Amino acid sequence: MWKYISKEQEKEFLLSLNLIDNKLTDKEKIIKIYSISNNIKNNYKIYKIPKHNGKKRLIYEPSTTLKHIQRQILTNILENKSISEYAKAYCKGISLKKSALPHLNKKTVLKLDIKDFFNHINFIDIYNSCFPIEYFPKPIGILLTYLCTYENHLPQGAPTSAYISNLVLKEFDEKIGRLCFEKNISYTRYSDDMTFSGDFNPTDIIKVVKKELHKYKLEINKDKIHVIKKNNRQTVTGIVVNKKMQVSRDYRKKIRKEIYYIKKYGLPFHLNKIKYEGNPEKYLKSLYGKVLYVLQINKEDKEFNLYKRYLETLYG
């Protein structure tokens, strides 16, 4: 389709994607886009943030201009492509509750984690899944891929990375989903976390998943294989799914404790006790948001409906 396209037509195609500030001339836009793609490393700041296991996670923050370009790529190109129904993260209209719902009240829950997920989604997989030659002139597809990668992998922190990961794993999700459907097993994937639930042999599922992930040069994190039976607390995306959907006991306990101290000692004393130096209204809004989250998962929760009404009186 693009065999005889000229350089000028390539530029027109690139400009039609509306990737950059309209205040610039067409020539300046082209120069800016190519300049950034040729100097990707200089357009990121890299931070280390602590993980739950004590290790550090690298976060890649794109420059203002690159971030704008990536958001335009996300809006104008990527989000027009469908992802699998089994992929539940980074999707409009998909809440944590909807992600956990398929696993409610199941005999066995199997949780698997994809090791070093973003770092192992590479340039060629991104190009083929997101900007293939069927829809983009090859030089433009390669350019767009450069704008969404960092040293041959997905940078965690770029606006495009999350949706790209779902596009790259679309066929994987569909294949695993079909297999599970045939065996009456519920399957969802939330970023690098895969969850399976039902009445099944976990070893059989693990073997199949390992085999399919290998095709993408991905692997299961052996330290994060969890098989949870019904007599233990089963959580999916932080939500307990044993009999009814509920936020974890620890999360609820922390909120309960905060409300108790505010009621007993008053808000100013409580904030002083926990050494909170911010705006009291901001603290209350944050606490109110936590209560609403609990009610989003279980709107019939009588205790947290009382907390909601109590906090609303403090606003007045």
Side-chain angles (χ1 to χ4, degrees):
M1 179 177 177
W2 307 106
K3 188 174 181 181
Y4 301 108
I5 189 172
S6 68
K7 291 291 183 184
E8 283 305 311
Q9 288 172 319
E10 281 181 12
K11 290 178 182 179
E12 289 176 13
F13 184 95
L14 180 58
L15 290 169
S16 73
L17 299 175
N18 297 315
L19 300 184
I20 205 159
D21 195 339
N22 285 327
K23 294 177 182 178
L24 301 175
T25 66
D26 287 351
K27 184 178 179 180
E28 288 171 334
K29 290 177 185 177
I30 295 293
I31 291 172
K32 190 75 171 176
I33 292 170
Y34 276 97
S35 174
I36 290 174
S37 72
N38 290 329
N39 295 278
I40 284 295
K41 288 183 71 174
N42 295 330
N43 279 276
Y44 278 99
K45 288 182 180 179
I46 303 176
Y47 300 95
K48 290 182 179 180
I49 62 172
K51 297 167 69 173
H52 293 302
N53 60 9
K55 295 181 180 179
K56 300 287 186 179
R57 186 192 306 280
L58 291 180
I59 298 296
Y60 300 78
E61 183 183 345
S63 66
T64 302
T65 305
L66 177 56
K67 186 180 288 186
H68 175 80
I69 290 172
Q70 290 171 339
R71 283 177 175 155
Q72 292 298 97
I73 291 173
L74 177 64
T75 303
N76 298 343
I77 301 172
L78 299 176
E79 289 184 341
N80 293 321
K81 298 174 180 288
S82 65
I83 60 173
S84 170
E85 64 178 297
Y86 301 103
K88 301 299 183 182
Y90 325 120
C91 310
K92 291 179 181 178
I94 300 291
S95 65
L96 291 176
K97 183 176 181 179
K98 287 183 179 179
S99 301
L101 189 59
H103 308 290
L104 181 63
N105 199 23
K106 298 295 178 67
K107 181 178 180 180
T108 301
V109 170
L110 168 66
K111 298 169 72 172
L112 303 176
D113 178 87
I114 303 174
K115 187 176 181 181
D116 221 2
F117 184 47
F118 283 92
N119 285 347
H120 284 92
I121 296 179
N122 62 40
F123 189 97
I124 191 64
D125 287 336
I126 296 165
Y127 172 77
N128 288 333
S129 299
C130 302
F131 314 109
I133 199 165
E134 292 93 334
Y135 302 104
F136 298 88
K138 189 172 183 180
I140 302 301
I142 290 173
L143 170 67
L144 293 171
T145 307
Y146 271 118
L147 290 168
C148 296
T149 54
Y150 183 96
E151 293 192 328
N152 195 42
H153 69 83
L154 270 184
Q156 191 167 1
T160 42
S161 292
Y163 205 84
I164 285 174
S165 70
N166 284 338
L167 290 171
V168 170
L169 286 189
K170 182 177 180 179
E171 288 186 19
F172 168 85
D173 287 328
E174 291 298 314
K175 187 165 186 177
I176 296 298
R178 285 194 299 271
L179 171 71
C180 288
F181 181 77
E182 291 168 2
K183 297 179 180 295
N184 199 28
I185 300 169
S186 295
Y187 163 65
T188 58
R189 181 180 58 81
Y190 196 93
S191 186
D192 53 356
D193 294 319
M194 294 173 286
T195 304
F196 305 82
S197 63
D199 187 1
F200 61 98
N201 183 349
T203 304
D204 294 339
I205 293 295
I206 292 170
K207 284 180 181 177
V208 174
V209 171
K210 278 183 177 179
K211 180 182 176 183
E212 293 303 317
L213 282 178
H214 183 71
K215 296 175 183 178
Y216 296 82
K217 297 180 181 177
L218 296 169
E219 59 181 295
I220 292 173
N221 187 335
K222 295 177 182 177
D223 297 327
K224 292 186 177 181
I225 298 175
H226 301 292
V227 179
I228 313 167
K229 296 296 183 180
K230 198 167 185 176
N231 56 340
N232 292 310
R233 189 176 71 174
Q234 299 170 325
T235 61
V236 179
T237 59
I239 300 171
V240 179
V241 293
N242 288 70
K243 289 184 178 179
K244 64 178 181 179
M245 299 187 72
Q246 186 64 281
V247 175
S248 72
R249 186 182 304 161
D250 290 341
Y251 191 90
R252 291 162 54 83
K253 185 177 178 181
K254 286 178 182 178
I255 296 173
R256 187 179 294 117
K257 186 177 179 181
E258 289 183 81
I259 297 287
Y260 171 80
Y261 282 118
I262 292 172
K263 282 185 172 180
K264 184 169 183 178
Y265 299 109
L267 181 62
F269 182 90
H270 171 64
L271 295 181
N272 183 58
K273 189 74 175 176
I274 63 174
K275 295 181 171 56
Y276 182 84
E277 297 179 354
N279 187 306
E281 186 176 341
K282 185 178 180 181
Y283 171 83
L284 285 175
K285 283 183 178 178
S286 173
L287 184 56
Y288 187 70
K290 293 175 184 176
V291 170
L292 290 183
Y293 171 64
V294 173
L295 292 174
Q296 178 190 344
I297 306 306
N298 180 9
K299 66 180 180 181
E300 304 300 327
D301 191 306
K302 293 180 180 179
E303 178 188 6
F304 277 78
N305 271 300
L306 288 174
Y307 293 161
K308 175 178 178 289
R309 289 193 287 273
Y310 171 70
L311 289 173
E312 287 170 348
T313 64
L314 294 184
Y315 279 114

